[in-house]
Each structure stands twice: as structure tokens, then as C-alpha cells.
Amino acid sequence: MSLLRVTAYTLTSALGHGRTAHQVALASGNTGLRKQVFDTCNIDCWIGEVSGLDAALPAALREFECRNQRLAWLALQQDGFMESVARLREKHDANRIGVFMGTSTAGIHSMELAYREWRSQHDNKSGDVNTSLPDWFSYRHTQNLYSIADFIKHALNVSGHSMVISTACSSSAKVFAAAYRCMQMGFCDAAIVGGVDSLCLTTLYGFNSLQLVSSDMCRPADVNRRGISIGEAAGFAIVEKADADVDSNALPCALLGYGESGDAHHMSSPDPNGTGAAASMHGALARAALQAGDIDY
């Protein structure tokens, strides 16, 4: 198996819902960052909050109710992605379609809300205290990292091999490699890959405690940069096996190779010598049988 065809994809972020909204924003230089407050967060910062997350999930998916799953559901509605998955089910058995998701937050905002409710009920009480969280809170369907893959399988009616990868910023890049390996080993014939991360207080206060959150709009690679801006987004793609003799240049989009490595250099900074990054790039080039000069961007 030399490559995977990317036959459909979509994304939703603070820039907008779907591919067209992102193309327009990028072409016009618009930003999705806003100087606004999320929940009760009092940090002076800019955030990338997705609009349209107020609607509850459909009744059949209500047990998964949380911000992360609402964001995933909104993203699945864009660019005809649901219809593409329906066509995929006609081509492959549902149990041969894998699901590989990346996330860092999962539905942790639900845990924050549940704990806040518990605290408000018990802070002023004495004696024995009920240690149970509110009945509406479901760890399995929200904060549990696997909940996003479970939700996608239910929402898209597929039942193949599935997993969730949580490796911070690399999570939803690594799922492409995981899907490649599983398809190569014959566990599935096609896969839905993607990632979902939603805003929560843990992320905002966590990065701020590392002194990484900028009070100004983030300026990547700028000499005057002061840190990062936290946002939320969801993106999905369908990957399928390609014929061994297919010409990759004839495909609009394909996964030709991948490379992975681990620096273990610092909590929030990569190896300044770029050792891990170089190892990953060499690995990806080798699997794709390409030279560095073959890459134009």
C-alpha cells in the first residue's frame, strides 16, 4: 500500500463553517480571533471561539451532549461530508470503515461545569457531603478521550476499528499515520480521520500558567511575538486505499508518507536543534520515496 487517497474533507473553526468560509477568510486576511471572554475566564487574551454551538445535539445522540461533541456535529454538517460518508458505506461494509480521531480536550468543559455545580451546592454545607457529581454528567460520553470516536461512530453509522490519539498539538496529524498502518495491516478498508478540540477553562488557565498565552493577538514567527492564542476547531477527512500503480500526481489530494518522532526535550518547547522535527521529515520523505527537493511548499 503506497498511498491513501483523500476523497472528502471539511473543517470548522473561528474563521467559519466549511471550506469556503476558510478560503474567503484566508484570501481576505481576516482573523477569527476576538478579544472576548469564554465562560468565567478572566485572562486578558484573544480567543478563537466557533459560532453556532448553542444548539443541542439531536435526540438520538443526546447522551454525548457537551461542547466538544456539538463542535464535531456542526463540522460534520459542512461540505457534504455526511453525504460522502453515506456513499462510503455503500462502497464498504460499515464494520470495515475505521475512525481515527485526535483530541486534547475531549469534553472536559462538561467536567468543569459539573464540578462547579457540585461546589456551589456543597461549599456552605457542614457534616457529611455527597461526593457525587450531578446526574446529568456522563464521563464516558464527554470527558473520556475516546468519547469523540464513539460519538463519530454513532453519528456516521460506522463500526470499524477505532481509536483516539491525544498527544497535544500533534494529535490530529498522527491519526493519518495510525489510519495508514491499520489499513496496511488489513484492519479496515477506509477510514474517517480528524480532530476536535473545544475551548475550556483547563486549556486557557493551563497554557497561561506556562506563561504562553499572549495578551495581544498571536504573531507566529514574529520577532515581537508574546505567546499563543487559544482557539477551537474540528476537521474531518475520508481516506481510502489507492491502487498500487496509481499516479499520485493524478490525485487531487493524497497521503504519500508520514514521519513521527519524540523530542522529550521540554514541557512546551521543542529541541532547539530541530532533531525530532528533522527525523520526522526524513521519515515522511523516505516512506513517500521523495527527496526534499521534490517538496515545493
Side-chain angles (χ1 to χ4, degrees):
M1 193 175 81
S2 58
L3 58 84
L4 296 181
R5 295 184 298 129
V6 179
T7 54
Y9 66 94
T10 186
L11 72 162
T12 289
S13 76
L15 286 180
H17 307 163
R19 299 198 307 261
T20 299
H22 285 75
Q23 292 165 352
V24 171
L26 291 170
S28 59
N30 291 337
T31 179
L33 295 175
R34 299 288 184 270
K35 191 90 168 182
Q36 63 193 67
V37 174
F38 174 76
D39 201 334
T40 60
C41 181
N42 58 9
I43 299 172
D44 180 23
C45 65
W46 294 66
I47 61 173
E49 184 173 350
V50 173
S51 63
L53 297 184
D54 296 330
L57 293 174
L61 300 169
R62 196 63 52 81
E63 62 185 351
F64 292 97
E65 184 64 54
C66 68
R67 186 178 186 86
N68 212 53
Q69 267 67 294
R70 285 188 183 187
L71 175 54
W73 180 246
L74 177 64
L76 289 172
Q77 311 304 309
Q78 314 306 318
D79 300 311
F81 193 79
M82 300 275 283
E83 291 77 6
S84 295
V85 174
R87 289 191 292 271
L88 191 68
R89 290 198 307 269
E90 294 176 358
K91 185 177 180 181
H92 303 284
D93 289 339
N95 63 2
R96 296 293 297 171
I97 302 174
V99 173
F100 302 84
M101 292 290 123
T103 190
S104 293
T105 63
I108 198 169
H109 186 239
S110 290
M111 169 60 87
E112 295 168 349
L113 295 175
Y115 183 68
R116 183 189 303 166
E117 182 176 318
W118 178 85
R119 283 293 300 268
S120 67
Q121 294 175 352
H122 296 90
D123 272 353
N124 299 320
K125 292 184 178 181
S126 59
D128 294 336
V129 175
N130 180 8
T131 59
S132 298
L133 290 171
D135 291 339
W136 57 260
F137 175 71
S138 172
Y139 170 83
R140 173 185 172 182
H141 297 103
T142 57
Q143 189 190 355
N144 178 12
L145 286 172
Y146 182 72
S147 67
I148 182 59
D150 198 15
F151 172 75
I152 296 301
K153 292 177 74 171
H154 279 78
L156 299 181
N157 193 25
V158 296
S159 55
H161 188 86
S162 61
M163 67 173 66
V164 171
I165 293 176
S166 184
T167 53
C169 301
S170 62
S171 302
S172 54
K174 287 172 68 67
V175 295
F176 283 87
Y180 187 105
R181 288 189 292 266
C182 285
M183 292 170 72
Q184 190 174 39
M185 290 185 287
F187 292 160
C188 50
D189 298 320
I192 299 161
V193 298
V196 187
D197 259 349
S198 50
L199 285 168
C200 62
L201 299 175
T202 301
T203 301
L204 286 162
Y205 282 110
F207 277 110
N208 192 60
S209 71
L210 294 171
Q211 300 180 357
L212 294 175
V213 176
S214 175
S215 59
D216 192 7
M217 196 180 303
C218 66
R219 300 170 176 269
D222 192 290
V223 69
N224 295 315
R225 65 191 182 277
R226 300 179 62 185
I228 62 176
S229 299
I230 304 298
E232 59 188 353
F236 303 101
I238 293 174
V239 292
E240 302 180 65
K241 293 179 181 179
D243 295 334
D245 58 350
V246 69
D247 180 4
S248 62
N249 293 317
L251 297 174
C253 190
L255 175 67
L256 305 183
Y258 64 87
E260 298 174 283
S261 64
D263 289 46
H265 173 78
H266 186 274
M267 183 76 165
S268 61
S269 301
D271 182 347
N273 295 317
T275 305
S280 293
M281 287 186 275
H282 283 301
L285 289 168
R287 284 190 175 87
L290 296 171
Q291 301 298 316
D294 295 325
I295 309 300
D296 60 1
Y297 179 78

mmCIF file of all heavy atoms in Angstrom, residues 167-168 207 209-212 262-273:
data_model
loop_
_atom_site.group_PDB
_atom_site.id
_atom_site.type_symbol
_atom_site.label_atom_id
_atom_site.label_comp_id
_atom_site.label_asym_id
_atom_site.label_seq_id
_atom_site.Cartn_x
_atom_site.Cartn_y
_atom_site.Cartn_z
ATOM 1 N N THR A 167 -2.003 13.534 21.859
ATOM 2 C CA THR A 167 -0.595 13.912 22.005
ATOM 3 C C THR A 167 -0.449 15.411 21.774
ATOM 4 O O THR A 167 0.406 15.859 21.003
ATOM 5 C CB THR A 167 0.296 13.131 21.012
ATOM 6 O OG1 THR A 167 -0.234 13.300 19.686
ATOM 7 C CG2 THR A 167 0.334 11.648 21.341
ATOM 8 N N ALA A 168 -1.325 16.175 22.422
ATOM 9 C CA ALA A 168 -1.310 17.630 22.327
ATOM 10 C C ALA A 168 -1.431 18.077 20.873
ATOM 11 O O ALA A 168 -2.281 17.580 20.146
ATOM 12 C CB ALA A 168 -0.072 18.205 23.000
ATOM 13 N N PHE A 207 -2.363 26.798 29.804
ATOM 14 C CA PHE A 207 -1.338 27.455 28.991
ATOM 15 C C PHE A 207 -0.909 28.781 29.605
ATOM 16 O O PHE A 207 0.254 29.177 29.489
ATOM 17 C CB PHE A 207 -1.852 27.669 27.567
ATOM 18 C CG PHE A 207 -1.706 26.471 26.681
ATOM 19 C CD1 PHE A 207 -2.808 25.748 26.267
ATOM 20 C CD2 PHE A 207 -0.448 26.051 26.263
ATOM 21 C CE1 PHE A 207 -2.665 24.628 25.460
ATOM 22 C CE2 PHE A 207 -0.293 24.940 25.444
ATOM 23 C CZ PHE A 207 -1.411 24.221 25.051
ATOM 24 N N SER A 209 -0.657 29.350 32.782
ATOM 25 C CA SER A 209 0.261 29.034 33.880
ATOM 26 C C SER A 209 1.669 28.745 33.369
ATOM 27 O O SER A 209 2.649 28.892 34.103
ATOM 28 C CB SER A 209 -0.257 27.826 34.669
ATOM 29 O OG SER A 209 -0.141 26.633 33.915
ATOM 30 N N LEU A 210 1.763 28.334 32.104
ATOM 31 C CA LEU A 210 3.075 28.126 31.472
ATOM 32 C C LEU A 210 3.627 29.411 30.865
ATOM 33 O O LEU A 210 4.658 29.399 30.204
ATOM 34 C CB LEU A 210 2.968 27.058 30.376
ATOM 35 C CG LEU A 210 2.635 25.643 30.838
ATOM 36 C CD1 LEU A 210 2.346 24.745 29.630
ATOM 37 C CD2 LEU A 210 3.761 25.073 31.666
ATOM 38 N N GLN A 211 2.902 30.517 31.081
ATOM 39 C CA GLN A 211 3.281 31.840 30.578
ATOM 40 C C GLN A 211 3.361 31.850 29.044
ATOM 41 O O GLN A 211 4.246 32.468 28.451
ATOM 42 C CB GLN A 211 4.622 32.286 31.186
ATOM 43 C CG GLN A 211 4.578 32.386 32.703
ATOM 44 C CD GLN A 211 5.901 32.817 33.315
ATOM 45 O OE1 GLN A 211 6.891 32.995 32.609
ATOM 46 N NE2 GLN A 211 5.908 32.984 34.629
ATOM 47 N N LEU A 212 2.404 31.156 28.426
ATOM 48 C CA LEU A 212 2.413 31.027 26.967
ATOM 49 C C LEU A 212 1.275 31.790 26.285
ATOM 50 O O LEU A 212 1.278 31.936 25.069
ATOM 51 C CB LEU A 212 2.321 29.547 26.572
ATOM 52 C CG LEU A 212 3.519 28.673 26.949
ATOM 53 C CD1 LEU A 212 3.238 27.220 26.600
ATOM 54 C CD2 LEU A 212 4.770 29.148 26.242
ATOM 55 N N GLY A 262 9.860 11.693 18.713
ATOM 56 C CA GLY A 262 9.619 12.289 20.014
ATOM 57 C C GLY A 262 10.873 12.981 20.511
ATOM 58 O O GLY A 262 11.960 12.389 20.520
ATOM 59 N N ASP A 263 10.738 14.258 20.914
ATOM 60 C CA ASP A 263 11.901 15.011 21.389
ATOM 61 C C ASP A 263 12.213 14.766 22.858
ATOM 62 O O ASP A 263 13.362 14.581 23.233
ATOM 63 C CB ASP A 263 11.662 16.512 21.201
ATOM 64 C CG ASP A 263 11.702 16.930 19.753
ATOM 65 O OD1 ASP A 263 11.077 16.254 18.918
ATOM 66 O OD2 ASP A 263 12.355 17.933 19.460
ATOM 67 N N ALA A 264 11.172 14.797 23.700
ATOM 68 C CA ALA A 264 11.345 14.718 25.157
ATOM 69 C C ALA A 264 12.366 15.748 25.628
ATOM 70 O O ALA A 264 13.209 15.482 26.470
ATOM 71 C CB ALA A 264 11.778 13.314 25.570
ATOM 72 N N HIS A 265 12.260 16.946 25.070
ATOM 73 C CA HIS A 265 13.241 17.999 25.368
ATOM 74 C C HIS A 265 12.767 18.925 26.478
ATOM 75 O O HIS A 265 13.523 19.274 27.380
ATOM 76 C CB HIS A 265 13.534 18.806 24.102
ATOM 77 C CG HIS A 265 14.393 20.024 24.325
ATOM 78 N ND1 HIS A 265 15.760 19.940 24.493
ATOM 79 C CD2 HIS A 265 14.067 21.332 24.432
ATOM 80 C CE1 HIS A 265 16.240 21.160 24.687
ATOM 81 N NE2 HIS A 265 15.238 22.017 24.654
ATOM 82 N N HIS A 266 11.482 19.333 26.434
ATOM 83 C CA HIS A 266 10.961 20.324 27.367
ATOM 84 C C HIS A 266 9.445 20.235 27.371
ATOM 85 O O HIS A 266 8.846 19.772 26.411
ATOM 86 C CB HIS A 266 11.418 21.730 26.942
ATOM 87 C CG HIS A 266 11.063 22.824 27.901
ATOM 88 N ND1 HIS A 266 9.844 23.458 27.867
ATOM 89 C CD2 HIS A 266 11.752 23.396 28.911
ATOM 90 C CE1 HIS A 266 9.796 24.381 28.811
ATOM 91 N NE2 HIS A 266 10.942 24.358 29.461
ATOM 92 N N MET A 267 8.851 20.709 28.447
ATOM 93 C CA MET A 267 7.396 20.630 28.592
ATOM 94 C C MET A 267 6.655 21.313 27.444
ATOM 95 O O MET A 267 5.638 20.824 26.963
ATOM 96 C CB MET A 267 6.990 21.289 29.920
ATOM 97 C CG MET A 267 5.510 21.212 30.214
ATOM 98 S SD MET A 267 5.021 19.582 30.752
ATOM 99 C CE MET A 267 3.400 19.927 31.440
ATOM 100 N N SER A 268 7.151 22.445 26.989
ATOM 101 C CA SER A 268 6.414 23.194 25.973
ATOM 102 C C SER A 268 7.283 23.716 24.832
ATOM 103 O O SER A 268 6.805 24.471 23.998
ATOM 104 C CB SER A 268 5.693 24.384 26.624
ATOM 105 O OG SER A 268 6.636 25.252 27.225
ATOM 106 N N SER A 269 8.538 23.326 24.767
ATOM 107 C CA SER A 269 9.428 23.807 23.706
ATOM 108 C C SER A 269 10.143 22.627 23.046
ATOM 109 O O SER A 269 10.609 21.724 23.733
ATOM 110 C CB SER A 269 10.486 24.764 24.277
ATOM 111 O OG SER A 269 9.882 25.863 24.901
ATOM 112 N N PRO A 270 10.243 22.628 21.727
ATOM 113 C CA PRO A 270 10.957 21.538 21.036
ATOM 114 C C PRO A 270 12.466 21.683 21.156
ATOM 115 O O PRO A 270 12.977 22.725 21.580
ATOM 116 C CB PRO A 270 10.491 21.712 19.580
ATOM 117 C CG PRO A 270 10.219 23.178 19.470
ATOM 118 C CD PRO A 270 9.658 23.597 20.804
ATOM 119 N N ASP A 271 13.155 20.638 20.778
ATOM 120 C CA ASP A 271 14.611 20.664 20.756
ATOM 121 C C ASP A 271 15.077 21.826 19.873
ATOM 122 O O ASP A 271 14.712 21.907 18.706
ATOM 123 C CB ASP A 271 15.118 19.336 20.188
ATOM 124 C CG ASP A 271 16.639 19.230 20.162
ATOM 125 O OD1 ASP A 271 17.317 20.260 20.353
ATOM 126 O OD2 ASP A 271 17.149 18.128 19.943
ATOM 127 N N PRO A 272 15.882 22.759 20.404
ATOM 128 C CA PRO A 272 16.306 23.920 19.594
ATOM 129 C C PRO A 272 17.123 23.538 18.370
ATOM 130 O O PRO A 272 17.226 24.313 17.419
ATOM 131 C CB PRO A 272 17.119 24.761 20.584
ATOM 132 C CG PRO A 272 17.558 23.805 21.639
ATOM 133 C CD PRO A 272 16.435 22.820 21.780
ATOM 134 N N ASN A 273 17.693 22.337 18.386
ATOM 135 C CA ASN A 273 18.451 21.882 17.214
ATOM 136 C C ASN A 273 17.566 21.228 16.154
ATOM 137 O O ASN A 273 18.059 20.855 15.084
ATOM 138 C CB ASN A 273 19.540 20.891 17.647
ATOM 139 C CG ASN A 273 20.589 21.549 18.523
ATOM 140 O OD1 ASN A 273 21.023 22.663 18.247
ATOM 141 N ND2 ASN A 273 20.978 20.868 19.598
#
